PDB file of all heavy atoms in Angstrom:
ATOM      1  N   TYR S  52      -6.345  14.191  12.714  1.00 90.00           N
ATOM      2  CA  TYR S  52      -6.975  12.918  12.397  1.00 90.00           C
ATOM      3  C   TYR S  52      -6.443  11.675  13.213  1.00 90.00           C
ATOM      4  O   TYR S  52      -6.923  10.603  13.091  1.00 90.00           O
ATOM      5  CB  TYR S  52      -6.916  12.565  10.931  1.00 90.00           C
ATOM      6  CG  TYR S  52      -7.843  13.485  10.112  1.00 90.00           C
ATOM      7  CD1 TYR S  52      -7.316  14.519   9.331  1.00 90.00           C
ATOM      8  CD2 TYR S  52      -9.220  13.312  10.106  1.00 90.00           C
ATOM      9  CE1 TYR S  52      -8.103  15.363   8.582  1.00 90.00           C
ATOM     10  CE2 TYR S  52     -10.045  14.164   9.370  1.00 90.00           C
ATOM     11  CZ  TYR S  52      -9.477  15.154   8.619  1.00 90.00           C
ATOM     12  OH  TYR S  52     -10.292  15.993   7.896  1.00 90.00           O
ATOM     13  N   ARG S  53      -5.403  11.995  13.973  1.00 87.00           N
ATOM     14  CA  ARG S  53      -4.785  10.930  14.830  1.00 87.00           C
ATOM     15  C   ARG S  53      -4.328   9.747  13.968  1.00 87.00           C
ATOM     16  O   ARG S  53      -4.528   8.616  14.298  1.00 87.00           O
ATOM     17  CB  ARG S  53      -5.695  10.440  15.891  1.00 87.00           C
ATOM     18  CG  ARG S  53      -6.337  11.525  16.798  1.00 87.00           C
ATOM     19  CD  ARG S  53      -5.287  12.272  17.554  1.00 87.00           C
ATOM     20  NE  ARG S  53      -5.808  13.031  18.702  1.00 87.00           N
ATOM     21  CZ  ARG S  53      -6.206  14.298  18.684  1.00 87.00           C
ATOM     22  NH1 ARG S  53      -6.060  15.011  17.563  1.00 87.00           N
ATOM     23  NH2 ARG S  53      -6.658  14.898  19.766  1.00 87.00           N
ATOM     24  N   LYS S  54      -3.707  10.062  12.826  1.00 84.00           N
ATOM     25  CA  LYS S  54      -3.262   9.028  11.898  1.00 84.00           C
ATOM     26  C   LYS S  54      -1.774   9.092  11.622  1.00 84.00           C
ATOM     27  O   LYS S  54      -1.239  10.165  11.286  1.00 84.00           O
ATOM     28  CB  LYS S  54      -4.017   9.178  10.553  1.00 84.00           C
ATOM     29  CG  LYS S  54      -5.470   8.888  10.571  1.00 84.00           C
ATOM     30  CD  LYS S  54      -6.095   8.986   9.218  1.00 84.00           C
ATOM     31  CE  LYS S  54      -7.581   8.641   9.226  1.00 84.00           C
ATOM     32  NZ  LYS S  54      -8.207   8.693   7.838  1.00 84.00           N
ATOM     33  N   GLY S  55      -1.156   7.979  11.796  1.00 77.00           N
ATOM     34  CA  GLY S  55       0.277   7.866  11.395  1.00 77.00           C
ATOM     35  C   GLY S  55       1.255   8.709  12.098  1.00 77.00           C
ATOM     36  O   GLY S  55       2.373   8.838  11.655  1.00 77.00           O
ATOM     37  N   GLY S  56       0.796   9.263  13.248  1.00 76.00           N
ATOM     38  CA  GLY S  56       1.674  10.178  13.942  1.00 76.00           C
ATOM     39  C   GLY S  56       2.981   9.522  14.443  1.00 76.00           C
ATOM     40  O   GLY S  56       4.018  10.091  14.296  1.00 76.00           O
ATOM     41  N   PHE S  57       2.849   8.290  14.990  1.00 78.00           N
ATOM     42  CA  PHE S  57       4.004   7.591  15.581  1.00 78.00           C
ATOM     43  C   PHE S  57       5.025   7.329  14.448  1.00 78.00           C
ATOM     44  O   PHE S  57       6.194   7.583  14.635  1.00 78.00           O
ATOM     45  CB  PHE S  57       3.625   6.348  16.238  1.00 78.00           C
ATOM     46  CG  PHE S  57       4.742   5.516  16.745  1.00 78.00           C
ATOM     47  CD1 PHE S  57       5.402   5.861  17.970  1.00 78.00           C
ATOM     48  CD2 PHE S  57       5.241   4.424  16.052  1.00 78.00           C
ATOM     49  CE1 PHE S  57       6.460   5.158  18.398  1.00 78.00           C
ATOM     50  CE2 PHE S  57       6.304   3.692  16.501  1.00 78.00           C
ATOM     51  CZ  PHE S  57       6.916   4.075  17.687  1.00 78.00           C
ATOM     52  N   VAL S  58       4.552   6.828  13.332  1.00 72.00           N
ATOM     53  CA  VAL S  58       5.451   6.486  12.286  1.00 72.00           C
ATOM     54  C   VAL S  58       6.106   7.777  11.684  1.00 72.00           C
ATOM     55  O   VAL S  58       7.381   7.801  11.498  1.00 72.00           O
ATOM     56  CB  VAL S  58       4.725   5.729  11.124  1.00 72.00           C
ATOM     57  CG1 VAL S  58       5.647   5.503   9.956  1.00 72.00           C
ATOM     58  CG2 VAL S  58       4.186   4.416  11.648  1.00 72.00           C
ATOM     59  N   ALA S  59       5.317   8.761  11.422  1.00 75.00           N
ATOM     60  CA  ALA S  59       5.838   9.972  10.841  1.00 75.00           C
ATOM     61  C   ALA S  59       6.817  10.652  11.811  1.00 75.00           C
ATOM     62  O   ALA S  59       7.856  11.171  11.372  1.00 75.00           O
ATOM     63  CB  ALA S  59       4.694  10.957  10.534  1.00 75.00           C
ATOM     64  N   ASN S  60       6.493  10.659  13.077  1.00 72.00           N
ATOM     65  CA  ASN S  60       7.379  11.259  14.070  1.00 72.00           C
ATOM     66  C   ASN S  60       8.733  10.530  14.166  1.00 72.00           C
ATOM     67  O   ASN S  60       9.776  11.120  14.268  1.00 72.00           O
ATOM     68  CB  ASN S  60       6.690  11.234  15.453  1.00 72.00           C
ATOM     69  CG  ASN S  60       7.253  12.293  16.369  1.00 72.00           C
ATOM     70  OD1 ASN S  60       7.774  13.338  15.955  1.00 72.00           O
ATOM     71  ND2 ASN S  60       7.185  12.046  17.668  1.00 72.00           N
ATOM     72  N   ALA S  61       8.646   9.218  14.101  1.00 77.00           N
ATOM     73  CA  ALA S  61       9.860   8.397  14.133  1.00 77.00           C
ATOM     74  C   ALA S  61      10.780   8.634  12.929  1.00 77.00           C
ATOM     75  O   ALA S  61      11.962   8.785  13.087  1.00 77.00           O
ATOM     76  CB  ALA S  61       9.514   6.909  14.214  1.00 77.00           C
ATOM     77  N   VAL S  62      10.145   8.787  11.716  1.00 69.00           N
ATOM     78  CA  VAL S  62      10.891   9.020  10.536  1.00 69.00           C
ATOM     79  C   VAL S  62      11.581  10.375  10.581  1.00 69.00           C
ATOM     80  O   VAL S  62      12.787  10.525  10.312  1.00 69.00           O
ATOM     81  CB  VAL S  62       9.970   8.894   9.282  1.00 69.00           C
ATOM     82  CG1 VAL S  62      10.737   9.364   8.048  1.00 69.00           C
ATOM     83  CG2 VAL S  62       9.505   7.506   9.135  1.00 69.00           C
ATOM     84  N   VAL S  63      10.801  11.461  10.961  1.00 72.00           N
ATOM     85  CA  VAL S  63      11.375  12.753  11.026  1.00 72.00           C
ATOM     86  C   VAL S  63      12.484  12.823  12.047  1.00 72.00           C
ATOM     87  O   VAL S  63      13.507  13.574  11.842  1.00 72.00           O
ATOM     88  CB  VAL S  63      10.282  13.777  11.305  1.00 72.00           C
ATOM     89  CG1 VAL S  63      10.870  15.192  11.493  1.00 72.00           C
ATOM     90  CG2 VAL S  63       9.251  13.796  10.117  1.00 72.00           C
ATOM     91  N   ASN S  64      12.296  12.214  13.209  1.00 71.00           N
ATOM     92  CA  ASN S  64      13.306  12.272  14.228  1.00 71.00           C
ATOM     93  C   ASN S  64      14.581  11.533  13.975  1.00 71.00           C
ATOM     94  O   ASN S  64      15.556  11.658  14.742  1.00 71.00           O
ATOM     95  CB  ASN S  64      12.660  11.713  15.565  1.00 71.00           C
ATOM     96  CG  ASN S  64      11.904  12.845  16.264  1.00 71.00           C
ATOM     97  OD1 ASN S  64      12.453  13.843  16.683  1.00 71.00           O
ATOM     98  ND2 ASN S  64      10.587  12.682  16.330  1.00 71.00           N
ATOM     99  N   ILE S  65      14.647  10.813  12.864  1.00 73.00           N
ATOM    100  CA  ILE S  65      15.883  10.210  12.447  1.00 73.00           C
ATOM    101  C   ILE S  65      16.962  11.291  12.250  1.00 73.00           C
ATOM    102  O   ILE S  65      18.137  11.097  12.530  1.00 73.00           O
ATOM    103  CB  ILE S  65      15.771   9.406  11.144  1.00 73.00           C
ATOM    104  CG1 ILE S  65      14.855   8.106  11.413  1.00 73.00           C
ATOM    105  CG2 ILE S  65      17.100   8.982  10.564  1.00 73.00           C
ATOM    106  CD1 ILE S  65      14.547   7.346  10.165  1.00 73.00           C
ATOM    107  N   GLY S  66      16.434  12.458  11.849  1.00 66.00           N
ATOM    108  CA  GLY S  66      17.392  13.613  11.623  1.00 66.00           C
ATOM    109  C   GLY S  66      18.147  13.972  12.905  1.00 66.00           C
ATOM    110  O   GLY S  66      19.288  14.539  12.845  1.00 66.00           O
ATOM    111  N   ARG S  67      17.557  13.709  14.080  1.00 70.00           N
ATOM    112  CA  ARG S  67      18.237  14.055  15.289  1.00 70.00           C
ATOM    113  C   ARG S  67      19.464  13.182  15.612  1.00 70.00           C
ATOM    114  O   ARG S  67      20.308  13.563  16.359  1.00 70.00           O
ATOM    115  CB  ARG S  67      17.229  13.993  16.469  1.00 70.00           C
ATOM    116  CG  ARG S  67      16.185  15.078  16.439  1.00 70.00           C
ATOM    117  CD  ARG S  67      15.220  14.936  17.598  1.00 70.00           C
ATOM    118  NE  ARG S  67      14.297  16.052  17.625  1.00 70.00           N
ATOM    119  CZ  ARG S  67      13.268  16.144  18.463  1.00 70.00           C
ATOM    120  NH1 ARG S  67      12.994  15.177  19.273  1.00 70.00           N
ATOM    121  NH2 ARG S  67      12.427  17.175  18.396  1.00 70.00           N
ATOM    122  N   ALA S  68      19.459  12.013  14.978  1.00 74.00           N
ATOM    123  CA  ALA S  68      20.525  11.060  15.238  1.00 74.00           C
ATOM    124  C   ALA S  68      21.661  11.194  14.229  1.00 74.00           C
ATOM    125  O   ALA S  68      22.752  10.614  14.426  1.00 74.00           O
ATOM    126  CB  ALA S  68      20.019   9.619  15.208  1.00 74.00           C
ATOM    127  N   VAL S  69      21.462  12.062  13.229  1.00 75.00           N
ATOM    128  CA  VAL S  69      22.490  12.251  12.174  1.00 75.00           C
ATOM    129  C   VAL S  69      23.196  13.607  12.413  1.00 75.00           C
ATOM    130  O   VAL S  69      22.536  14.616  12.497  1.00 75.00           O
ATOM    131  CB  VAL S  69      21.853  12.241  10.798  1.00 75.00           C
ATOM    132  CG1 VAL S  69      22.924  12.442   9.720  1.00 75.00           C
ATOM    133  CG2 VAL S  69      21.095  10.918  10.542  1.00 75.00           C
ATOM    134  N   PRO S  70      24.555  13.568  12.584  1.00 80.00           N
ATOM    135  CA  PRO S  70      25.262  14.815  12.751  1.00 80.00           C
ATOM    136  C   PRO S  70      25.021  15.771  11.675  1.00 80.00           C
ATOM    137  O   PRO S  70      25.010  15.402  10.427  1.00 80.00           O
ATOM    138  CB  PRO S  70      26.720  14.405  12.841  1.00 80.00           C
ATOM    139  CG  PRO S  70      26.644  12.939  13.176  1.00 80.00           C
ATOM    140  CD  PRO S  70      25.425  12.448  12.544  1.00 80.00           C
ATOM    141  N   SER S  71      24.837  17.070  11.954  1.00 82.00           N
ATOM    142  CA  SER S  71      24.573  18.113  10.926  1.00 82.00           C
ATOM    143  C   SER S  71      25.760  18.203   9.928  1.00 82.00           C
ATOM    144  O   SER S  71      25.484  18.357   8.747  1.00 82.00           O
ATOM    145  CB  SER S  71      24.286  19.464  11.548  1.00 82.00           C
ATOM    146  OG  SER S  71      25.347  19.806  12.449  1.00 82.00           O
ATOM    147  N   PHE S  72      26.985  18.124  10.425  1.00 81.00           N
ATOM    148  CA  PHE S  72      28.102  18.171   9.499  1.00 81.00           C
ATOM    149  C   PHE S  72      28.114  17.040   8.573  1.00 81.00           C
ATOM    150  O   PHE S  72      28.456  17.144   7.399  1.00 81.00           O
ATOM    151  CB  PHE S  72      29.377  18.188  10.358  1.00 81.00           C
ATOM    152  CG  PHE S  72      30.646  18.397   9.494  1.00 81.00           C
ATOM    153  CD1 PHE S  72      30.875  19.626   8.859  1.00 81.00           C
ATOM    154  CD2 PHE S  72      31.557  17.401   9.287  1.00 81.00           C
ATOM    155  CE1 PHE S  72      32.030  19.791   8.033  1.00 81.00           C
ATOM    156  CE2 PHE S  72      32.659  17.532   8.498  1.00 81.00           C
ATOM    157  CZ  PHE S  72      32.891  18.760   7.871  1.00 81.00           C
ATOM    158  N   GLY S  73      27.716  15.833   9.034  1.00 83.00           N
ATOM    159  CA  GLY S  73      27.626  14.683   8.165  1.00 83.00           C
ATOM    160  C   GLY S  73      26.600  14.855   7.065  1.00 83.00           C
ATOM    161  O   GLY S  73      26.834  14.435   5.940  1.00 83.00           O
ATOM    162  N   LEU S  74      25.470  15.485   7.443  1.00 85.00           N
ATOM    163  CA  LEU S  74      24.457  15.761   6.402  1.00 85.00           C
ATOM    164  C   LEU S  74      24.988  16.706   5.366  1.00 85.00           C
ATOM    165  O   LEU S  74      24.746  16.501   4.146  1.00 85.00           O
ATOM    166  CB  LEU S  74      23.172  16.391   7.030  1.00 85.00           C
ATOM    167  CG  LEU S  74      22.309  15.440   7.828  1.00 85.00           C
ATOM    168  CD1 LEU S  74      21.173  16.286   8.482  1.00 85.00           C
ATOM    169  CD2 LEU S  74      21.660  14.420   6.889  1.00 85.00           C
ATOM    170  N   ILE S  75      25.732  17.754   5.786  1.00 86.00           N
ATOM    171  CA  ILE S  75      26.233  18.742   4.817  1.00 86.00           C
ATOM    172  C   ILE S  75      27.219  18.032   3.844  1.00 86.00           C
ATOM    173  O   ILE S  75      27.123  18.242   2.618  1.00 86.00           O
ATOM    174  CB  ILE S  75      26.955  19.851   5.573  1.00 86.00           C
ATOM    175  CG1 ILE S  75      25.969  20.678   6.359  1.00 86.00           C
ATOM    176  CG2 ILE S  75      27.705  20.751   4.587  1.00 86.00           C
ATOM    177  CD1 ILE S  75      26.623  21.682   7.299  1.00 86.00           C
ATOM    178  N   ILE S  76      28.100  17.215   4.377  1.00 86.00           N
ATOM    179  CA  ILE S  76      29.045  16.501   3.526  1.00 86.00           C
ATOM    180  C   ILE S  76      28.354  15.562   2.519  1.00 86.00           C
ATOM    181  O   ILE S  76      28.653  15.429   1.337  1.00 86.00           O
ATOM    182  CB  ILE S  76      30.154  15.776   4.341  1.00 86.00           C
ATOM    183  CG1 ILE S  76      30.909  16.790   5.184  1.00 86.00           C
ATOM    184  CG2 ILE S  76      30.987  14.939   3.560  1.00 86.00           C
ATOM    185  CD1 ILE S  76      31.614  17.841   4.386  1.00 86.00           C
ATOM    186  N   LEU S  77      27.369  14.800   3.121  1.00 86.00           N
ATOM    187  CA  LEU S  77      26.580  13.843   2.290  1.00 86.00           C
ATOM    188  C   LEU S  77      25.951  14.514   1.096  1.00 86.00           C
ATOM    189  O   LEU S  77      26.083  14.096  -0.046  1.00 86.00           O
ATOM    190  CB  LEU S  77      25.597  13.088   3.146  1.00 86.00           C
ATOM    191  CG  LEU S  77      24.617  12.240   2.383  1.00 86.00           C
ATOM    192  CD1 LEU S  77      25.306  11.093   1.645  1.00 86.00           C
ATOM    193  CD2 LEU S  77      23.513  11.704   3.311  1.00 86.00           C
ATOM    194  N   PHE S  78      25.228  15.613   1.392  1.00 86.00           N
ATOM    195  CA  PHE S  78      24.560  16.344   0.299  1.00 86.00           C
ATOM    196  C   PHE S  78      25.543  16.994  -0.602  1.00 86.00           C
ATOM    197  O   PHE S  78      25.241  17.216  -1.786  1.00 86.00           O
ATOM    198  CB  PHE S  78      23.557  17.345   0.914  1.00 86.00           C
ATOM    199  CG  PHE S  78      22.367  16.669   1.628  1.00 86.00           C
ATOM    200  CD1 PHE S  78      22.009  17.083   2.906  1.00 86.00           C
ATOM    201  CD2 PHE S  78      21.662  15.687   1.055  1.00 86.00           C
ATOM    202  CE1 PHE S  78      20.912  16.520   3.560  1.00 86.00           C
ATOM    203  CE2 PHE S  78      20.571  15.093   1.638  1.00 86.00           C
ATOM    204  CZ  PHE S  78      20.222  15.468   2.888  1.00 86.00           C
ATOM    205  N   TRP S  79      26.719  17.417  -0.117  1.00 86.00           N
ATOM    206  CA  TRP S  79      27.695  17.968  -0.994  1.00 86.00           C
ATOM    207  C   TRP S  79      28.199  16.954  -2.024  1.00 86.00           C
ATOM    208  O   TRP S  79      28.309  17.246  -3.225  1.00 86.00           O
ATOM    209  CB  TRP S  79      28.916  18.446  -0.167  1.00 86.00           C
ATOM    210  CG  TRP S  79      29.924  19.200  -1.020  1.00 86.00           C
ATOM    211  CD1 TRP S  79      29.909  20.494  -1.321  1.00 86.00           C
ATOM    212  CD2 TRP S  79      31.026  18.618  -1.659  1.00 86.00           C
ATOM    213  NE1 TRP S  79      30.992  20.822  -2.108  1.00 86.00           N
ATOM    214  CE2 TRP S  79      31.702  19.713  -2.362  1.00 86.00           C
ATOM    215  CE3 TRP S  79      31.531  17.361  -1.723  1.00 86.00           C
ATOM    216  CZ2 TRP S  79      32.892  19.493  -3.112  1.00 86.00           C
ATOM    217  CZ3 TRP S  79      32.703  17.095  -2.479  1.00 86.00           C
ATOM    218  CH2 TRP S  79      33.353  18.138  -3.159  1.00 86.00           C
ATOM    219  N   PHE S  80      28.437  15.756  -1.557  1.00 87.00           N
ATOM    220  CA  PHE S  80      28.882  14.669  -2.506  1.00 87.00           C
ATOM    221  C   PHE S  80      27.802  14.410  -3.531  1.00 87.00           C
ATOM    222  O   PHE S  80      28.063  14.137  -4.695  1.00 87.00           O
ATOM    223  CB  PHE S  80      29.315  13.449  -1.716  1.00 87.00           C
ATOM    224  CG  PHE S  80      30.733  13.430  -1.253  1.00 87.00           C
ATOM    225  CD1 PHE S  80      30.974  13.590   0.061  1.00 87.00           C
ATOM    226  CD2 PHE S  80      31.747  13.288  -2.157  1.00 87.00           C
ATOM    227  CE1 PHE S  80      32.352  13.618   0.515  1.00 87.00           C
ATOM    228  CE2 PHE S  80      33.070  13.347  -1.748  1.00 87.00           C
ATOM    229  CZ  PHE S  80      33.362  13.457  -0.440  1.00 87.00           C
ATOM    230  N   LEU S  81      26.559  14.347  -3.066  1.00 87.00           N
ATOM    231  CA  LEU S  81      25.444  14.054  -3.999  1.00 87.00           C
ATOM    232  C   LEU S  81      25.305  15.179  -5.014  1.00 87.00           C
ATOM    233  O   LEU S  81      25.056  14.893  -6.207  1.00 87.00           O
ATOM    234  CB  LEU S  81      24.123  13.862  -3.237  1.00 87.00           C
ATOM    235  CG  LEU S  81      24.024  12.644  -2.307  1.00 87.00           C
ATOM    236  CD1 LEU S  81      22.700  12.652  -1.493  1.00 87.00           C
ATOM    237  CD2 LEU S  81      24.103  11.410  -3.155  1.00 87.00           C
ATOM    238  N   ALA S  82      25.467  16.416  -4.530  1.00 85.00           N
ATOM    239  CA  ALA S  82      25.357  17.533  -5.456  1.00 85.00           C
ATOM    240  C   ALA S  82      26.514  17.549  -6.513  1.00 85.00           C
ATOM    241  O   ALA S  82      26.298  17.841  -7.674  1.00 85.00           O
ATOM    242  CB  ALA S  82      25.349  18.864  -4.707  1.00 85.00           C
ATOM    243  N   ALA S  83      27.662  17.192  -6.049  1.00 84.00           N
ATOM    244  CA  ALA S  83      28.825  17.104  -6.925  1.00 84.00           C
ATOM    245  C   ALA S  83      28.623  16.007  -7.999  1.00 84.00           C
ATOM    246  O   ALA S  83      28.964  16.164  -9.145  1.00 84.00           O
ATOM    247  CB  ALA S  83      30.098  16.853  -6.158  1.00 84.00           C
TER     248      ALA S  83
END
């Protein structure tokens, strides 16, 4: 539908800027 692709793509790609190890530690603290 050519809708919201730029915004959605930008939001999802934030994950590329976050180190994977940092994500693991962050979610570990939240789970704890």
Side-chain angles (χ1 to χ4, degrees):
Y52 289 105
R53 308 299 197 264
K54 291 183 178 180
F57 175 79
V58 175
N60 202 28
V62 171
V63 173
N64 275 295
I65 291 175
R67 291 179 173 174
V69 179
S71 54
F72 184 70
L74 283 176
I75 294 171
I76 297 301
L77 171 63
F78 291 131
W79 185 88
F80 274 109
L81 292 175

